[in-house]
Amino acid sequence: MGNFGKWWVVARREWQVAFQAPLAWVLLALWMFMGGRFFVGSLLGSRSTDLTPVFWNLAVLLIFIAPLLTMRLLAEERRNGSDELILTAPVSTGQWVLGKYIGVLFVWTMFAVVSLLFPLATSRFGAVQWGVVASSWLGMWLFGAATLSMGLFASSLTSNQVVAAMLSFAVVLLFYGSTWVPGHGLVGQLMTYISLPSQFNNFTLGLVSVSHLIYLVSLCVGFLFLAVRVVDLRRWT
Amino acid sequence: MADMDEGTPNDQEQNTGESAAQPTGPRKPGGLRGALASRGMRWGTATAVYVGVVAAALIGVNLVGAHIPTQWDLTFNHNLTLSAASRNIAAKVTHPVHIIAFERPGGTTGAKVSALLQQYQTASHGKITYQVVDPAANAALAVRYHIKSYDTVVLQSGSHTQTVSGSSLTTYSSSGQPQFNGEQPITNALLQLASPTQMTVDFLAGNGEPNTAGGQLPDAVLALKNQGYKVGALNLLTSHGVPSSVSALVVVDPTQDLPTSSVSALKKYAAGGGHLVFLLDPSTKNLKNLTGMLAGWGVKPQNDLVVDPSHSSQSPVFIVPKYGSSPITAPLQQANYATLLLGAQGLTLGKAPKGYTVTPVLTTYGGGSSSNPTSFGITNLSKLQTTGLHYTKGQDIPGPLTVAATVAGPSGKAQFRAVVIGNAGFIASAAPGQTQAPINIQGNRDLFLNSVGWATGRSQGITIRPRPSLNTQVFLTSGSTSALVDTFVLGVPLVCFLLAAGAWWTRRRL
């Protein structure tokens, strides 16, 4: 079995486990309930097919949903001691963590796909800017991918799922609200740059920038790398 | 990521023969040396090094990536991508220009302004720089530039400043939908910085023309203002002549003939190198003074209704003329924008006065037979209702017909320039119930602005304007609102909860 097969097995198992448990469905129900309220409110309020506020609110909800989706991933394995089995399994830590991440990414992708019901329904009542919908959706998906990687990293730090969720929430909030702290000059620019909303904003306008893609993918890579190092460090110390 | 462990200390240790099965064995006491040599310390150090290297690599990638201007504009009509004209103007900036956008953090308009400013900076090869500032957090800067509201953009070049107000960044469709239109005022402000003298364009009033001072033709007036013109209205009966400060006078479809005194004033203005733009629909009234004046310059309105069934949209009188060789239409032709004129009249091009040049700008298509020409002008407007849009040989005028022309001359410093277009409706705003304003159709706005730009001699004004946004208005009935609530607030979440219950029940039974 090649490298692809190894992490794929982990990912597939993670995805199946997620949907065999009620949590993912409950989160999807809450997400769509809140999204539905925003959606109807937006249509009635603005009388416009512009779904920018809806995608914004869906992304903001991820601050709360991503920690709950990821809290179990590595913390539960550690609590059960099943992570020790990785030592003897023919899979590297990187493949294992990547598999976990891809698994939860599938779950999130399903959430995101369901959210396309909003623009589809809107198109019945007026002209939809599908290009803007596509870029907003891509931005939201990347926003989710980044927050999930933060959650996975938080889950690698502890064996307690509740603590993992709180840590994850804190990390996501740090990147979400970096501009809440007033900063000038280079610090201000840095805070704006690392801010998830400022990176997400252009997507909702219909602009897909190479720089924003690079940043969000970098976040994913960075936190996945940290998660791998934490698991490795714990295993060998 | 699958290869993330390649070359890790784990592999190195296995290569050196250390057993992975004894990772947590008791450490022999050996002081600092022993501690440093311990597996934990080595792993900690290695991890710190790895994290540092990867962090540095990611920061480096982002530093490079932040300067990559490549982006894809997926908006309708590419509304957030600078037009070629704006890029050209930015590229021609000779002195450094610094733009400060005072924006609300996280605001949509601010993000759109930023997206445009980045492109101005790139197009100017660094001559234009910009910063986005929260006026609440930078009160000193806000006070210095007298900022009173968000979304204000200040352009500064040396001691000159131009301010673009937030209200001019957004226009409203006929249905009241806000549409971001920031490129026009910002580009205009750049032009103003380059030539600080503001030109005045007046609309002639007092002869049954649309009352622009009273709010008629709002889109045309705004389009001119966004080009940096000062726009006003001029009644020749009260002003006793065209003031020398008027860069161009626009005459839009007078329903009454011009008094002889007004014609004399216009001729005097023309003789002094004045600039005139005539937009004239066919009329059942005899406007002999106006027609006579234009005929004297070599362009006589035919007072017919142009019909072109083969080159029209929706109706044979909603014609799509072809472009002549003129700087007014050259950018439109280049950008492949059509102009659509509803109910135009033809123009007979006669002999121009000595030293003057008459040039056709828009013409209908020729061809067809003598009894059934491709395009023609119906001359009997009063009997149009009964005769219909059919060609009557010997009475109607066969095509090709000129529907727009320019007159210029004599050559010299104070050159008279006039544009005559046999249609006025193309600059109209949307009528109630109309989904799109005629001025916003294809290249109509450009035709108008380019005509004024050519007349005033402002060559940089001959540009393609940004396109309007898609009409995104939604019409919801109470029934459709209920259906949306039932589906998205109740239905979809309920299905998910049922699936959650199913998952819980299945696990409970296992």
Side-chain angles (χ1 to χ4, degrees), chain B residues 288-375:
Chain B
K288 63 176 184 180
N289 288 343
L290 176 63
T291 307
M293 180 182 68
L294 292 172
W297 292 327
V299 182
K300 185 184 179 189
Q302 292 171 177
N303 213 23
D304 56 355
L305 179 65
V306 176
V307 180
D308 189 348
S310 55
H311 301 92
S312 56
S313 171
Q314 301 170 21
S315 163
V317 294
F318 202 0
I319 62 167
V320 183
K322 66 178 178 181
Y323 297 130
S325 178
S326 164
I328 293 174
T329 52
L332 290 161
Q333 201 161 15
Q334 194 179 4
N336 202 23
Y337 280 122
T339 49
L340 285 88
L341 310 179
L342 177 62
Q345 67 171 317
L347 307 169
T348 302
L349 303 189
K351 190 179 178 184
K354 192 177 179 184
Y356 287 71
T357 311
V358 177
T359 309
V361 175
L362 297 173
T363 56
T364 62
Y365 290 80
S369 63
S370 59
S371 59
N372 187 22
T374 299
S375 64

Side-chain angles (χ1 to χ4, degrees), chain A residues 163-181:
Chain A
V163 173
M166 291 172 68
L167 275 174
S168 171
F169 179 73
V171 175
V172 172
L173 204 60
L174 186 74
F175 279 85
Y176 187 85
S178 62
T179 53
W180 295 347
V181 180

Side-chain angles (χ1 to χ4, degrees), chain A residues 47 49 129 193 206 208 218, chain B residues 62 72 74-76 472 474 507:
Chain A
R47 298 271 170 187
T49 57
Q129 287 205 54
Y193 186 77
V208 179
S218 297
Chain B
N62 277 269
W72 296 273
L74 303 184
T75 57
F76 179 76
T472 57
V474 166
R507 281 169 71 95

Side-chain angles (χ1 to χ4, degrees), chain B residues 267-286:
Chain B
K267 283 182 176 175
K268 187 180 174 187
Y269 174 62
H275 309 128
L276 294 161
V277 177
F278 294 92
L279 311 179
L280 306 169
D281 280 335
S283 171
T284 53
K285 292 186 177 176
N286 185 10

Side-chain angles (χ1 to χ4, degrees), chain B residues 263-489:
Chain B
V263 170
S264 299
L266 289 177
K267 283 182 176 175
K268 187 180 174 187
Y269 174 62
H275 309 128
L276 294 161
V277 177
F278 294 92
L279 311 179
L280 306 169
D281 280 335
S283 171
T284 53
K285 292 186 177 176
N286 185 10
L287 308 177
K288 63 176 184 180
N289 288 343
L290 176 63
T291 307
M293 180 182 68
L294 292 172
W297 292 327
V299 182
K300 185 184 179 189
Q302 292 171 177
N303 213 23
D304 56 355
L305 179 65
V306 176
V307 180
D308 189 348
S310 55
H311 301 92
S312 56
S313 171
Q314 301 170 21
S315 163
V317 294
F318 202 0
I319 62 167
V320 183
K322 66 178 178 181
Y323 297 130
S325 178
S326 164
I328 293 174
T329 52
L332 290 161
Q333 201 161 15
Q334 194 179 4
N336 202 23
Y337 280 122
T339 49
L340 285 88
L341 310 179
L342 177 62
Q345 67 171 317
L347 307 169
T348 302
L349 303 189
K351 190 179 178 184
K354 192 177 179 184
Y356 287 71
T357 311
V358 177
T359 309
V361 175
L362 297 173
T363 56
T364 62
Y365 290 80
S369 63
S370 59
S371 59
N372 187 22
T374 299
S375 64
F376 54 91
I378 297 176
T379 54
N380 197 343
L381 298 179
S382 57
K383 292 185 179 177
L384 198 60
Q385 295 282 353
T386 52
T387 55
L389 301 173
H390 302 293
Y391 177 71
T392 306
K393 194 173 180 181
Q395 181 180 329
D396 296 332
I397 306 168
L401 304 168
T402 300
V403 288
T406 58
V407 186
S411 58
K413 198 172 182 182
Q415 188 189 43
F416 164 64
R417 287 185 171 197
V419 182
V420 185
I421 301 176
N423 185 253
F426 77 99
I427 65 161
S429 298
Q434 207 170 10
T435 54
Q436 192 174 17
I439 194 172
N440 288 336
I441 295 174
Q442 287 272 323
N444 285 4
R445 178 190 301 259
D446 306 300
L447 176 66
F448 174 58
L449 292 176
N450 292 0
S451 298
V452 175
W454 178 83
T456 57
R458 207 173 86 172
S459 57
Q460 278 186 307
I462 301 173
T463 56
I464 298 293
R465 271 13 97 183
R467 305 292 93 214
S469 303
L470 183 71
N471 178 18
T472 57
Q473 194 174 18
V474 166
F475 299 98
L476 286 175
T477 62
S478 58
S480 53
T481 305
S482 301
L484 284 172
V485 172
D486 290 345
T487 306
F488 290 103
V489 183

